[in-house]
Amino acid sequence: MEWNPETTWVFAVGLLEWEDSETFSPFPDAVEGRFDAQLVDFFRESGVPDQQIIYLQDKEATLETIRESLPEFLSNTDEDHLLIWYFTGHGGWDSDTGEYYFYNYDAQADDTETHWAISSIFDDIEENFNGSKALLLADCCYSGGLIDEVKLRDTEISYACVTSAYAHNTSTGEWTFTASLLKGLQGDPVVDLDKDGMITLYDFARYAELEVAFIEDQKSMFITTNHFDPQMQLSIVEGDSDPHFGRRVEVEYEEEWYKAKILDRNEDDEFLVYYIADRTEEWVTGDRISPYEPEMYEIGSSVEVLNEDEEWCPATVKKAWYGLHYISYDDYDEIWDEWVGGHRIRKLE
């Protein structure tokens, strides 16, 4: 299956500010060059017709506007059309009800009736969408709620969901996930992990998973249902690139090792590296570079995990991958199980 812009319908919501700014903190540093706008521009420039794109940005994204525009938009589709749905902003989870939300511009604190429920998104799609395939993408806290919800659905629609975080995890205000998506759509060779000259949905999802884990200490999630083809072709890679470009490494600086990515290499075989921690760049020699080898705990290990209240709590490792650990708190119900990065886990003494 190859992605076809002419039969694609894009519904995108991007929020970097909210009416209730005390509850929903804005992202002023993310406004310049915002990637959600770049993503929509890419779809338009790639040939998605204007009438098949809705992009609600900040103040435009009220709950009333969303609820009115999404069903009508979906009702105009045909059976061979693909829906691409995208959200970035703030997301939330109600642990009592199990409901997940994306926070529209006019969302009010502690009033779930004013929040955009994830379950309602699927309801709108299944009641109004005339096509058979929907790709849902979210870059926000608790975005993995899309995946939890799609598992509950009994429908003939084929879904694919890729999210920046696990259902019970927060997400940063950075653009790492959306930037990875844009690279995949543009045919950036760093996303072509199997080096076959083609970037598929699976390639993007795997690349995003690695990028988000390395840069943000988050676990990106991916699922397909009802035979949605994970090998759907997103783009063709143009030209070759140095195999070192984009490598995730550690670099020695004043006898300490820091996570970094390789950006370039010069004729003297020096490497331009980008330090993740402080976002600075430096040319370094190869002897200062080492493969990224995060500390990993064995499954079943007893550990301590730093919770949201900045308290170290006993926990048990259930899964481990690329510097991240899926843990279960010893003193709490399994609904609080989550993925944690290296700065939040330590050996239980």
Side-chain angles (χ1 to χ4, degrees), residues 257-275:
W257 290 88
Y258 298 91
K259 290 197 293 186
K261 293 191 69 177
I262 295 177
L263 302 180
D264 202 354
R265 180 168 62 170
N266 62 22
E267 295 179 355
D268 297 325
D269 213 26
E270 295 176 322
F271 297 89
L272 178 63
V273 299
Y274 173 82
Y275 291 103

Side-chain angles (χ1 to χ4, degrees), residues 301-303 313-317 327-333 337 348:
S301 296
S302 295
V303 295
C313 302
T316 302
V317 175
I327 60 89
S328 182
Y329 292 100
D330 294 352
D331 300 327
Y332 296 94
D333 190 87
D337 290 2
L348 180 64

Side-chain angles (χ1 to χ4, degrees), residues 15-18 21 24-34 58 90 173-175 279:
L15 286 147
L16 299 181
E17 61 177 79
W18 287 262
S21 59
F24 307 106
S25 302
F27 300 112
D29 294 340
V31 172
E32 185 176 356
R34 53 189 301 167
D58 298 334
H90 281 308
E174 304 298 327
W175 286 114
R279 306 181 186 181

